[in-house]
Amino acid sequence: MHEESGSETEEALVSAFAEFGGTYLRDIWLFDQSDHERLFLREDVAEKLEAVDVEKFVDNERFGFITQDTYDQLYYATYQYTVRGFDDFEQFRMFFDDDDRHVGVFASFDRQPGGHDYESLHSHVTDIASGYDVPVVTSDTE
């Protein structure tokens, strides 16, 4: 990945998720081992998150760093992404890695008839992100 500023990387990520999800996109979060950053949050979802401990939610997603390593050691195929279904939405999570850092991104989307093509999203985000450095997470101050 070549050198770009963090804000350009983040804008590219938001653009990729927004292009994929359109009005179904609810939120986008970037996280690493210790910090998290909100990249996008739809207003109606922000109201719902007022009652949620976002830090605990992000901490749960950090277990994915361990899961990714485990999958890569156990399976003959490389881990790419996770999708979780909830009654109100679906959540997509993937990781960007370099030699020094692990960074994850997750986004949620309203459910839609026929579902979303998450393989397409993974490919699209991976293609766009390949033109940037692994994103740098700056602590989210809410």
Side-chain angles (χ1 to χ4, degrees):
M1 295 180 163
H2 64 61
E3 186 70 25
E4 294 287 345
S5 74
S7 65
E8 289 177 1
T9 303
E10 292 170 5
E11 287 173 17
L13 285 172
V14 170
S15 177
F17 281 100
E19 182 180 318
F20 172 83
T23 60
Y24 292 101
L25 179 61
R26 300 166 55 94
D27 56 359
I28 307 169
W29 301 81
L30 196 62
F31 65 100
D32 62 14
Q33 302 287 19
S34 60
D35 291 323
H36 71 277
E37 182 176 357
R38 180 182 63 229
L39 300 183
F40 173 82
L41 183 60
R42 204 170 69 196
E43 189 173 321
D44 63 314
V45 176
E47 293 170 8
K48 293 177 181 182
L49 287 181
E50 289 175 5
V52 173
D53 185 344
V54 172
E55 186 63 40
K56 283 186 179 180
F57 188 75
V58 175
D59 276 345
N60 186 60
E61 294 308 312
R62 287 187 179 105
F63 286 115
F65 293 125
I66 297 166
T67 304
Q68 177 188 19
D69 290 341
T70 301
Y71 287 153
D72 286 344
Q73 292 171 11
L74 293 177
Y75 292 103
Y76 56 87
T78 302
Y79 170 85
Q80 295 184 326
Y81 60 90
T82 298
V83 176
R84 293 189 185 94
F86 296 90
D87 61 355
D88 202 25
F89 62 91
E90 295 173 323
Q91 180 189 358
F92 170 90
R93 181 190 67 203
M94 64 179 284
F95 298 104
F96 307 99
D97 296 312
D98 65 16
D99 294 334
D100 301 319
R101 297 180 299 123
H102 299 292
V103 175
V105 62
F106 63 90
S108 67
F109 302 89
D110 295 325
R111 290 180 169 262
Q112 70 173 359
H116 296 279
D117 179 1
Y118 290 107
E119 170 57 30
S120 170
L121 175 59
H122 176 263
S123 294
H124 186 60
V125 171
T126 300
D127 287 347
I128 287 175
S130 68
Y132 298 89
D133 279 339
V134 170
V136 174
V137 180
T138 57
S139 186
D140 203 9
T141 54
E142 298 182 58

